[in-house]
């Protein structure tokens, strides 16, 4: 039953959940109520912290369909539990897209998972005339109200579907799986008010509601944190033990901590609310089926509404697809890229062209060049007479792109880092130690016949001592300081917990253009093609003889530039290419577009000085006709924007006075050449292209085609780009120079010296990328580059990879073909000489290898340095593949098409001018990669700080635990003000100043450990615990051996200072019920106070990850002040201080002996800690594990395997085929080319 009814939600997605159905059980509820009563509410707290226990203890298991409560569990590595109440809604039908009236939506569609016949009699309503309101009432009369079960989780509503027998999400219009032509024909008219209201039942109000919780709600949530509950328990316990001052001090600190936390959380909610609320509710115009335009609030929008985009632009309140007109949009809120993007209307294939290839199903990701995303700023629109700029609403609320971003901020994934997991284990160890003390104190108290109340209080007191209450605040301090230092370096962080993880990075992926190289490209030259052969390269195209050539026409028209406030704006490459022609771009004004029908929205023309001289005009000639024939103006009729998936863009243009139109295309040379007639592509095309790309040039190819005369303006608006982009004529190449940023080589060298691997992942040509990788030092000159060319299965042949070796920098320009016989490969048994090699591959090969050679992929990413022509989602897959072999991966990009990779990486840093881009955890205002070493340095410093603080807090607990345990043996304890002095004056002061050490200026090749449970760290903590235990025990036993020692009473006179003793005794005879004042207490108080300071100095590590502690003046000043104060009260007792701290007077010679104990303790601690850093741990490792240890990280394990593999790296001219070999279980075999 349980397995059968375990449902999976969002299968295969990041937020995949397992669902179990439960029904409330009255007798179980009653039992839990009694349990809550008997435990004083503690059981209720436990159930609040553990949703799984809460549901299982109050409910019985049932099917998901009949559930009243659902128990959800995330399927990721965290396995978190959640619960949600199932609610019921009454609606006329189950399917939001059901046609209540005649327009826009198809009846119950089998492609929609939530569709079902909504009428009681099973018939679909027929169109009929009449008043819509009366019609709706009539139809509602036919309906039996349907019960719809749903629950809301993380701002997403899940509805029950009888068809799929599971809960699912309604995202929007995409649920219908509509094709592009259907969107135009059936969804571009608009919805009636009734249809709109009906859909709103399912999709809800169109708003991204970030509710700012009340202070009371936040307070309850914060106070019910297990840590604060433990503090409350401690305060009650200390008050019962009459430690009033200490209890009040801790309570006061907790209140300050809660208040600070509340203020921070509230501020974050308000910031997010304000960011989301800006322009989220606006007035919008929507189309109704009877050609009416109605103004409504954006909150009323539902998927299927047709929205009119205003001329002067707007902030989009939803995700919508353009069905008519063009928009210029600033998408910096989503991508961090501030260059405006041109959005064109969704293509509407002509009836004869609506095959599977041309009429694809609409998808926001595939058709993002036609989709206006929520939160983005529409700067201006272009339209024609009678044609408004319209967009069909596709998604609303939290389903939109902006909604998903807000959800990812509101409900972040927990950070999986070894440090945090180890911290919990460490706390459990402390609790175990506390348990030993707990049992010890009970046994001791029973043996000494102590009253039961005292036994309970003192045994529980041991637990509160062992688990330090200030630990979370102390751990956070280091991260807060690191965040502040990063901000000073111009690096902004929206995920502070990731700073520590950045200290572990051992591989960084870089985007190329705009990251390693300059954003702008300079035109190096052009190389035209005529009659199927290349001309010599020319410096520019700004020439009179070329002004009317198709090559220059292509340069002038094939772009997505637009004028914003009189300034040309758009992609930097387009801008450089257009400026090189010297042509002028003119856009139609609003008045012109409203006066003329089908006016060309954009016209380009050469400057007059480039046109040939005009002949004299005879009077007979018609002046107007002459001007028309002599003007050389080209109007851009249709634009197919650049697509990173297709790697090209295309425009349809018409020369003034010409009847036929022309198509111009530009893009990646290999792609453009494949779409051209073979006879127009020069034979030496591949060699010429290779020559340029090897020198690091960015090469763009141009092509042209004269379109058929039957293609009218209207047909062109609806034709698919595949019809246009075929049988083109190859025009030539534009060669752009992409210069390296000045900082790039030095930064990459720093990373190489620090043993941090660098990888290039780019959308550019592979040979260009390899050239840039060599230029910037990512691939050193002597190293070999092996190119992996993978081909998918074809005509019954298996997928295969062909290996070829690219030239080294010093070699000739052709690819090296080396013939190696099988004898050459395997006749020697000795270990092979290690040759440094790098793999390079393009996006197509990466896709084939990922699918058909999954085990080969892990080997390739181990030495893969250049990944070219990578689509945005492939960049994310590469990051995942690298993480799959246990690399800690950083990613640095410009934020435009790297969003997924930036988010997926352990440390994603976006080079953006925006202060904080939601695209990545870190955003650098410095527009070069120098921010990467800075981030790693700060991450390492923050990580070491976390270790230092954790070790110090653990030692502080243990030192105090040892003192208290020793004093319990004589039925004594530390005093109220002694606890107060240790916890406030020593611990808090030291903990918050020891975190201030800045990062070390150099990146070293050594990495800090990733977790607390590591050899050196544990050895360090254990040795310090033993040292402190030893010296405290020596002190405790030695003081009792002193000749002057007697059991202390108020009349004792060990100092021979009768007046002091009498005074002291007089004050304390009555009140010292706890036996605080004695020689053992005083001696241990002095020794332990110095021990706290000694371990703080010993653990406060500097080089090689942090600046030395002596440069941290607040820490040095705090430590010195405390040393001076403790030495002063030890050698020169002050009556008031002694009374306050409940210290008794001891002879001077004993103070000298205590001072010697403290000195020897400090010396042993320093020597041992230094020894661990240098030799001791290595010696210990050799003794314990003389054989070579198997590396923990998978990439190290793989590297060891490959080092002894004679077939690795693959030899040139060999082919690897995907083939299952049962004898060794491998999925591929390497074959020799024939």
């Amino acid at each position: 039953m349980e397995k059968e009814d375990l449902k999976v939600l969002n299968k295969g997605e990041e937020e995949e959940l397992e669902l179990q159905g439960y029904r409330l059980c009255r007798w179980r509820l009653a039992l839990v109520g009694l349990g809550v009563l008997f435990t004083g509410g503690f059981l209720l707290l436990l159930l609040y912290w553990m949703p799984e226990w809460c549901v299982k203890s109050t409910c019985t298991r049932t099917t998901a369909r009949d559930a009243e409560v659902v128990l959800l569990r995330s399927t990721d590595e965290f396995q978190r539990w959640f619960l949600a109440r199932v609610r019921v809604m009454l609606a006329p039908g189950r399917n939001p897209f059901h046609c209540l009236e005649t327009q826009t939506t198809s009846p119950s569609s089998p492609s929609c998972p939530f569709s079902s016949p909504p009428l009681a009699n099973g018939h679909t309503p027929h169109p009929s005339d009449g008043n819509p309101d009366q019609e709706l009432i009539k139809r509602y009369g036919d309906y039996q109200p349907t019960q719809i079960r749903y629950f809301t989780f993380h701002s997403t509503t899940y509805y029950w579907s009888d068809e799929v027998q599971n809960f699912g999400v309604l995202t929007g219009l995409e649920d219908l799986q509509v094709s592009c032509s259907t969107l135009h024909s059936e969804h571009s008219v608009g919805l009636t008010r009734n249809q709109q209201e009906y859909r709103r039942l399912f999709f809800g109000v169109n708003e991204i509601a970030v509710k700012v919780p009340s202070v009371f709600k936040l307070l309850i949530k914060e106070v019910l944190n297990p840590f604060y509950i433990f503090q409350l328990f401690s305060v009650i316990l200390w008050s019962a033990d009459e430690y009033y001052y200490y209890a009040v001090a801790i309570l006061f600190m907790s209140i300050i901590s809660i208040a600070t936390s509340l203020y921070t959380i509230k501020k974050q909610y308000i910031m997010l609310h304000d960011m989301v609320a800006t322009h989220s509710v606006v007035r919008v115009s929507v189309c109704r089926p009877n050609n009416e335009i109605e103004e409504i609030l954006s909150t009323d929008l539902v998927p299927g509404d047709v929205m009119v985009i205003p001329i002067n632009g707007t902030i989009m309140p939803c995700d919508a697809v353009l069905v008519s007109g063009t928009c210029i949009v600033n998408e910096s809120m989503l991508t961090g890229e501030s260059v405006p993007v041109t959005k064109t209307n969704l293509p509407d294939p002509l009836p004869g062209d609506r095959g599977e290839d041309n009429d694809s199903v609409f998808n926001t990701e595939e058709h993002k060049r036609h989709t206006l995303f929520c939160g983005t700023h529409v700067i201006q629109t272009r339209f024609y007479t009678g044609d408004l700029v319209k967009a069909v609403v596709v998604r609303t609320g939290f389903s939109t792109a902006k909604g998903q971003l807000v959800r990812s901020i509101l409900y972040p994934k927990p950070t999986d880092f070894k440090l945090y997991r180890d911290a919990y284990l460490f706390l459990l160890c402390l609790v175990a130690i506390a348990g030993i003390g707990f049992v010890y104190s009970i046994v001791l108290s029973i043996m000494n016949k102590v009253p039961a109340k005292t036994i309970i209080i003192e045994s529980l007191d041991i637990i509160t001592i062992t688990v330090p209450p200030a630990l979370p605040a102390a751990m956070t301090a280091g991260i807060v300081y690191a965040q502040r230092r990063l901000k000073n370096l111009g690096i902004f962080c929206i995920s502070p917990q990731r700073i520590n993880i950045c200290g572990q990075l051992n591989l960084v992926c870089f985007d190329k253009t705009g990251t390693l190289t300059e954003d702008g490209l300079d035109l190096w030259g052009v190389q035209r093609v005529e009659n199927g052969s290349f001309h010599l390269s020319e410096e520019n195209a700004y020439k009179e003889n070329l002004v009317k050539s198709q090559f220059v026409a292509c340069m002038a028209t094939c772009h997505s530039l637009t004028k914003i406030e009189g300034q040309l704006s758009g992609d930097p490459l387009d801008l450089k290419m257009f400026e090189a022609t010297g042509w002028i771009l003119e856009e139609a004004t609003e008045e012109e577009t409203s006066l003329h029908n089908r006016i060309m929205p954009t016209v380009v023309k050469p400057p007059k000085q480039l046109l040939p001289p005009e002949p004299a005009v005879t009077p007979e000639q018609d002046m107007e006709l002459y001007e028309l024939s002599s003007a050389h103006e080209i109007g851009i009729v249709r634009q197919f924007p650049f697509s990173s998936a297709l790697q090209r863009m295309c425009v349809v243009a018409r020369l003034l006075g010409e009847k036929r139109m022309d198509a111009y295309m530009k893009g990646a040379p290999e792609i453009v050449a494949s779409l051209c007639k073979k006879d127009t592509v020069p034979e030496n095309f591949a060699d010429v292209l290779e020559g340029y790309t090897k020198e690091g040039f960015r090469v763009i190819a141009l092509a042209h085609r004269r379109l058929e005369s039957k293609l009218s303006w209207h047909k062109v608006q609806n034709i698919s780009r595949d019809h246009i982009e075929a049988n083109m004529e190859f025009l030539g190449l534009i060669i752009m120079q992409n210069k390296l940023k000045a900082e790039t080589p030095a930064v990459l060298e720093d990373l190489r010296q620090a043993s941090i691997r660098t990888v290039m992942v780019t959308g550019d040509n592979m040979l260009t990328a390899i050239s840039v990788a060599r230029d910037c030092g990512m691939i050193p000159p002597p190293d070999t580059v092996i190119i992996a060319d993978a081909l998918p299965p074809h005509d019954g042949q298996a997928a295969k990879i062909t290996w070829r070796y690219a030239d080294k920098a010093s070699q000739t320009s052709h690819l090296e073909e080396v013939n190696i016989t099988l004898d050459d490969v395997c006749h020697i048994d000795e270990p092979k000489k290690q040759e440094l090699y790098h793999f390079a591959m393009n996006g197509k090969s990466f896709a084939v290898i990922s699918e058909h050679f999954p085990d080969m992929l892990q080997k390739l990413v181990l030495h893969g340095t250049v990944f070219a022509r990578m689509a945005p989602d492939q960049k994310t897959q590469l990051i995942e593949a690298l993480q799959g072999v246990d690399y800690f991966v950083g990613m640095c990009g410009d934020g435009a098409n790297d969003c997924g990779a930036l988010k997926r990486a352990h440390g994603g840093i976006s080079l953006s001018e925006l202060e904080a881009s939601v695209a990545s955890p870190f955003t650098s205002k410095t527009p070069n990669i120098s921010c990467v070493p800075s981030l790693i340095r700060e991450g390492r410093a923050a990580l070491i700080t976390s270790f230092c603080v954790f070790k110090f807090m653990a030692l502080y607990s243990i030192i105090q635990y040892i003192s208290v345990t020793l004093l319990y043996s004589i039925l004594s304890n530390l005093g109220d003000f002694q606890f107060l002095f240790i916890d406030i004056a020593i611990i808090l002061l030291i903990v918050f100043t020891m975190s201030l050490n800045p990062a070390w200026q150099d990146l070293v090749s050594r990495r800090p450990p990733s977790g607390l449970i590591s050899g050196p760290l544990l050895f360090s903590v254990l040795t310090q615990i033993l040292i402190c235990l030893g010296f405290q025990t020596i002190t405790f036993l030695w003081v009792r051996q002193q000749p002057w020692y007697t059991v202390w009473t108020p009349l004792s006179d060990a100092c021979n200072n009768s007046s002091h003793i009498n005074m002291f005794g007089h004050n304390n005879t009555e009140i010292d019920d706890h036996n605080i004042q004695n020689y053992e207490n005083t001696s241990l108080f002095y020794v332990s106070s110095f021990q706290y300071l000694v371990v703080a100095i010993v653990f406060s590590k500097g080089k090689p990850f942090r600046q030395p502690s002596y440069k941290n003046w607040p820490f040095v000043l705090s430590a010195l002040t405390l040393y001076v104060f403790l030495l002063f009260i030890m050698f020169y007792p002050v009556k008031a201080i002694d009374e306050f701290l409940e210290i008794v007077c001891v002879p001077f010679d004993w103070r000298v002996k205590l001072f010697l104990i403290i000195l020897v303790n400090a010396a042993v601690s320093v020597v041992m800690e230094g020894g661990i850093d240098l030799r001791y741990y290595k010696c210990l490792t050799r003794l314990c594990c003389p054989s070579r240890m198997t590396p923990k990280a998978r990439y190290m394990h793989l590297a060891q395997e490959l080092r002894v593999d004679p077939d690795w790296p693959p030899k040139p001219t060999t082919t690897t085929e995907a083939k299952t070999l049962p004898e060794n279980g491998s999925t591929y075999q390497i074959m020799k080319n024939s």
Side-chain angles (χ1 to χ4, degrees), residues 530-739:
E530 270 183 27
N531 303 322
S533 61
F534 279 112
H535 281 258
L536 291 171
S537 61
E538 298 159 274
E539 207 171 303
N540 61 46
Y542 189 78
K543 292 175 182 174
E544 278 186 28
N545 63 327
L546 294 180
V547 74
K548 292 192 177 184
S549 68
Q550 296 291 6
F551 188 90
V552 171
C554 187
M555 285 178 73
T557 56
C558 199
H559 53 70
S560 56
L561 300 178
T562 185
K563 277 194 170 175
I564 297 173
E565 293 174 3
Q567 287 290 313
L568 266 184
S569 177
D571 185 88
L573 185 144
D574 286 352
L575 214 51
K576 276 275 187 254
M577 186 180 77
F578 184 73
E579 283 169 359
T581 63
W583 284 38
I584 299 152
L585 182 137
E586 288 178 355
E587 285 187 338
T589 61
E590 282 176 39
E591 293 78 25
E592 285 172 326
T593 33
S594 57
L595 285 170
H596 303 284
N597 195 20
R598 298 176 183 174
I599 192 164
M600 306 305 178
T602 305
V603 171
V604 290
K605 59 182 182 183
K608 282 186 177 175
Q609 60 267 33
L610 273 185
L611 289 167
E614 298 170 6
V617 185
T618 58
E620 300 91 60
Q621 285 178 304
D622 188 303
M623 194 69 191
E624 250 180 66
L625 276 173
Y626 170 75
E627 279 182 9
L628 195 66
S629 62
S630 65
H632 189 78
E633 291 186 5
I634 304 173
I636 299 167
V637 178
R638 175 89 194 271
Q639 200 183 81
F640 297 100
F642 176 78
S643 156
S644 49
L646 299 174
Q647 296 174 12
R648 62 181 184 268
M649 83 162 287
C650 178
V651 293
V652 176
R654 178 192 270 158
L655 180 65
L656 192 68
E658 285 277 339
K659 282 188 177 179
R660 287 170 74 176
M661 298 190 200
D662 296 275
Y664 295 103
M665 178 166 66
K666 78 163 196 287
E670 309 94 325
I671 304 291
V672 171
S674 70
L675 297 169
C676 289
K677 294 174 190 168
K678 282 191 178 175
D679 58 327
T680 65
V681 181
E683 286 179 12
N684 61 340
F685 164 75
D687 296 333
V688 171
L689 175 63
E690 199 178 301
Y692 285 126
T693 52
K694 278 189 176 170
E695 289 176 44
F697 291 115
R698 174 96 179 260
V699 184
I700 309 288
L702 305 182
H704 160 259
R705 175 184 160 197
R706 200 81 196 271
L707 296 177
E708 302 83 5
S709 54
K710 65 176 183 182
L711 275 178
S712 64
W713 185 93
H714 186 73
K715 281 182 178 175
V716 164
Q717 295 309 313
N718 297 310
I719 200 165
S720 77
R721 70 189 291 172
D722 295 342
H723 277 280
I724 302 286
E725 295 171 341
N727 295 318
M728 308 285 280
E729 285 178 22
F730 194 76
L731 293 178
L733 305 172
I734 298 175
I735 300 102
M736 314 287 277
Q737 200 170 18
N738 197 193
K739 292 174 185 166

Side-chain angles (χ1 to χ4, degrees), residues 26 138 298 478 588 687 714 736 774 781 997 1045 1170:
R26 286 182 184 177
K138 276 185 198 171
S298 60
D687 296 333
H714 186 73
M736 314 287 277
R774 286 203 187 276
N997 288 36
Y1045 176 83

Side-chain angles (χ1 to χ4, degrees), residues 24 125 223 231 324 343 362 401 407 473 584 588 616 666 722 772 870 897 911 1065 1084 1099 1102 1180 1193:
L24 284 168
V223 168
Q231 289 226 350
S324 67
K343 300 277 184 170
F362 172 75
R407 278 182 74 241
I584 299 152
K666 78 163 196 287
D722 295 342
V772 171
M870 296 284 275
N897 54 2
L911 308 182
L1084 286 178
F1099 285 158
L1180 198 76

Side-chain angles (χ1 to χ4, degrees), residues 1043-1085:
W1044 47 265
Y1045 176 83
T1046 54
V1047 175
W1048 188 89
T1049 65
L1051 300 172
S1052 297
D1053 192 13
C1055 293
N1056 298 318
N1057 186 352
S1058 55
S1059 61
H1060 175 80
I1061 293 296
N1062 289 336
M1063 184 78 182
F1064 205 66
H1066 175 72
N1067 287 345
N1068 288 277
T1069 312
E1070 298 302 319
I1071 57 169
D1072 196 16
D1073 298 335
H1074 290 85
N1075 184 24
I1076 303 296
Q1077 290 163 316
N1078 52 57
Y1079 299 122
E1080 291 91 342
N1081 170 295
T1082 300
S1083 303
L1084 286 178
F1085 173 73

Side-chain angles (χ1 to χ4, degrees), residues 418-429:
K418 204 164 178 286
L419 171 70
Y420 304 121
R421 278 179 283 153
D422 289 355
Y424 288 117
L425 281 173
F426 217 90
L427 279 174
L428 283 173
C429 294

Side-chain angles (χ1 to χ4, degrees), residues 222-296:
E222 193 69 17
V223 168
L224 293 182
N225 180 313
F227 166 69
Y228 287 119
I229 296 295
F230 178 72
Q231 289 226 350
L232 184 68
F233 162 73
S234 306
V235 165
I236 293 166
L237 191 70
W238 295 326
S239 303
D241 205 14
E242 294 173 17
Y243 283 90
Y244 299 120
Y245 291 105
Y246 184 58
V248 167
I250 293 296
L251 188 67
F252 179 68
M253 276 169 56
S254 297
I255 289 167
I256 289 175
S257 173
I258 290 169
T260 313
S261 183
L262 283 185
Y263 173 74
T264 312
I265 294 167
K266 182 94 173 169
K267 192 178 168 188
Q268 283 174 345
Y269 267 111
I270 290 168
M271 271 176 65
L272 189 60
H273 175 268
D274 291 351
M275 182 189 98
V276 173
T278 316
H279 310 291
S280 66
V281 181
V282 290
R283 295 200 74 81
V284 292
S285 298
V286 292
C287 299
R288 295 294 180 208
N290 49 6
N291 290 327
E292 275 181 26
I293 303 290
E294 187 185 337
E295 202 173 81
I296 61 167

